[in-house]
Amino acid sequence: MSERKISQAVIQRLPRYYRYLGELLESGVERISSNDLSKRMKVTASQIRQDLNNFGGFGQQGYGYNVKSLHGEIGRILGLDVTHNIIIIGAGNLGQALANYTSFEKRGFILKGIFDVNPRLEGVTIRGVKIRMIDELKDFIHNNEVDIAVLTLPKEKVADVTKIVVDNGVKAIWNFAHTDLNLPSDVIVENVHLSESLMRLSYNISQKQHMKEKN
Amino acid sequence: MSERKISQAVIQRLPRYYRYLGELLESGVERISSNDLSKRMKVTASQIRQDLNNFGGFGQQGYGYNVKSLHGEIGRILGLDVTHNIIIIGAGNLGQALANYTSFEKRGFILKGIFDVNPRLEGVTIRGVKIRMIDELKDFIHNNEVDIAVLTLPKEKVADVTKIVVDNGVKAIWNFAHTDLNLPSDVIVENVHLSESLMRLSYNISQKQHMKEKN
DNA sequence: TAGATTGTTAATCGATTAACAATC
DNA sequence: TAGATTGTTAATCGATTAACAATC
């Protein structure tokens, strides 16, 4: 099997294809050509075909792509056909918001536990999942098949917590803390740095201002 | 002045430089060479120098970069030296989490208003900012200099709200809704698609599984 | 001055787009 | 069969890395 290395640029785009195909599916569209899809998504048809052909020939000449089947294929490629057990560490505003976010569940991400250091939160329940103290974390990981740890805590606490999580076998981290993680190479991390996103927006705003001043 | 077009790749990295320089500044480091910084950030020194030289020669041969001054320069480039008035539309879990997020304020992003459709939330206050109903949105934008609208609402409501926001002159949107926005070309948008981020993590997890099976 | 390190040009690498033969 | 549209190769474009002269 051709296990070629897929570029990060392609992986970056994959969930977006999935989203658009999901919408097409919902609105009852049966098939779509790379050209039609390219217009909706504002990318080139060439790129769509190149991207998809990294994973296989999902289309058919003269016909295009079957929406339902392509949606399914990309879902499988993204690993959405298997369930992942997740825990959230840090039950502050963002942690609680993510815990309340039910649509993750629909995609197979099952919330197993929530952890915090604040004793006031102990026993509080979100969507039936109770908040536990960090000292229970180690045992909890051992007794539950935790696939993903979501870090929504202050950057000062990240190093200690990450060590517990990684030492006890969790292999994937969704990191919302405002710092980069130092991890063994076999642990996967996906960073969401919200403040950096806001700074990019800010950059683009001032950039536009400069443009205006020039004209 | 050389108003060369800066590539998205560079802009993407800029906030991360800012973060590292901020940390260095806090820990009292006075100067740093591109080489030392490259080791900390796990990028090439060449890339750092190339990136920075898009904006000016901030360094000094034989010395490196002055941490404080470079931090300041990048902050200015990112537009963090001016304040931005923001409103949050959609006071669900995520909207409230962002509203409670005080460190944005420190960077000059001032929360002016929060809006929702749910009458139960009317008058509820977050950090001294009260939640208003959507029908007040138009007037509010006119009476306050709103620079950025943060969209944290269900995708079904996005189109209508976006229209109000854009029609009344808001020029930048931080979009957390699970859909792409259709905007006039002079409106800036920065998307945060959390579910897509989670899918990328999921992809990388299954990818690793496949690798394992191969060996 | 000698050593260090930048700013910048040139070389390489990778990603995107264009083109078209294959084929449904 | 003729028309449409893919899969894929080749051409182009852009981003990253390497190299080194300039200079503090």
Side-chain angles (χ1 to χ4, degrees), chain A residues 82-95:
Chain A
V82 296
T83 62
H84 298 274
N85 292 335
I86 77 179
I87 57 173
I88 292 175
I89 308 178
N93 289 298
L94 183 58

Side-chain angles (χ1 to χ4, degrees), chain B residues 2-3 5 7 55 68 70 72 84 92 109 116 128 134 151 206:
Chain B
S2 60
E3 291 278 332
K5 182 86 173 62
S7 87
F55 303 99
K68 190 172 178 181
L70 184 57
H84 299 275
F109 301 95
D116 205 292
I134 294 280
L151 302 187
S206 20

Side-chain angles (χ1 to χ4, degrees), chain B residues 108-172:
Chain B
F109 301 95
I110 317 290
L111 181 62
K112 286 290 183 176
I114 310 172
F115 294 84
D116 205 292
V117 288
N118 184 350
R120 279 202 211 158
L121 290 170
E122 183 156 23
V124 172
T125 282
I126 300 176
R127 288 205 296 116
V129 178
K130 78 172 191 200
I131 300 178
R132 292 180 162 81
M133 295 296 98
I134 294 280
D135 52 24
E136 299 176 51
L137 183 53
K138 185 180 167 176
D139 284 347
F140 189 92
I141 294 174
H142 280 286
N143 298 330
N144 297 268
E145 284 241 320
V146 177
D147 301 303
I148 301 172
V150 183
L151 302 187
T152 45
L153 30 74
K155 65 170 189 283
E156 295 76 24
K157 291 176 189 154
V158 163
D160 289 349
V161 168
T162 302
K163 189 171 159 35
I164 299 174
V165 161
V166 167
D167 284 354
N168 291 286
V170 175
K171 290 288 182 235

Side-chain angles (χ1 to χ4, degrees), chain A residues 3, chain B residues 207-215:
Chain A
E3 291 278 333
Chain B
Q207 211 44 30
K208 213 181 63 177
Q209 236 86 52
H210 291 318
M211 294 293 190
K212 236 187 236 159
E213 283 159 20
K214 241 191 10 175
N215 300 343

Side-chain angles (χ1 to χ4, degrees), chain B residues 2-213:
Chain B
S2 60
E3 291 278 332
R4 212 153 27 97
K5 182 86 173 62
I6 312 294
S7 87
Q8 280 302 315
V10 175
I11 298 163
Q12 185 74 22
R13 287 190 289 267
L14 224 42
R16 188 155 178 266
Y17 292 133
Y18 186 75
R19 175 156 54 85
Y20 272 82
L21 288 163
E23 284 169 12
L24 287 166
L25 192 60
E26 264 184 45
S27 54
V29 176
E30 228 174 66
R31 66 189 177 102
I32 192 152
S33 67
S34 58
N35 202 252
D36 285 354
L37 189 56
S38 82
K39 275 172 203 145
R40 286 174 187 259
M41 295 187 65
K42 291 170 184 163
V43 297
T44 64
S46 208
Q47 181 164 77
I48 293 174
R49 295 203 299 276
Q50 285 276 23
D51 282 355
L52 296 179
N53 277 95
N54 280 300
F55 303 99
F58 301 131
Q60 195 168 291
Q61 285 94 331
Y63 171 90
Y65 298 87
N66 181 282
V67 171
K68 190 172 178 181
S69 112
L70 184 57
H71 181 259
E73 292 286 0
I74 297 181
R76 257 182 297 284
I77 292 164
L78 289 170
L80 305 179
D81 54 335
V82 297
T83 62
H84 299 275
N85 292 335
I86 78 178
I87 57 173
I88 292 174
I89 309 178
N93 289 298
L94 184 57
Q96 294 200 21
L98 293 174
N100 274 299
Y101 200 59
T102 51
S103 46
F104 292 147
E105 216 97 335
K106 276 184 238 151
R107 297 270 158 73
F109 301 95
I110 317 290
L111 181 62
K112 286 290 183 176
I114 310 172
F115 294 84
D116 205 292
V117 288
N118 184 350
R120 279 202 211 158
L121 290 170
E122 183 156 23
V124 172
T125 282
I126 300 176
R127 288 205 296 116
V129 178
K130 78 172 191 200
I131 300 178
R132 292 180 162 81
M133 295 296 98
I134 294 280
D135 52 24
E136 299 176 51
L137 183 53
K138 185 180 167 176
D139 284 347
F140 189 92
I141 294 174
H142 280 286
N143 298 330
N144 297 268
E145 284 241 320
V146 177
D147 301 303
I148 301 172
V150 183
L151 302 187
T152 45
L153 30 74
K155 65 170 189 283
E156 295 76 24
K157 291 176 189 154
V158 163
D160 289 349
V161 168
T162 302
K163 189 171 159 35
I164 299 174
V165 161
V166 167
D167 284 354
N168 291 286
V170 175
K171 290 288 182 235
I173 293 178
W174 200 20
N175 176 40
F176 287 79
H178 299 184
T179 186
D180 291 334
L181 270 36
N182 214 281
L183 297 169
S185 63
D186 67 327
V187 177
I188 293 156
V189 63
E190 167 80 19
N191 290 303
V192 180
H193 291 315
L194 293 182
S195 61
E196 296 189 6
S197 170
L198 187 53
M199 287 184 206
R200 282 189 286 275
L201 182 59
S202 169
Y203 171 85
N204 284 123
I205 292 171
S206 20
Q207 211 44 30
K208 213 181 63 177
Q209 236 86 52
H210 291 318
M211 294 293 190
K212 236 187 236 159
E213 283 159 20

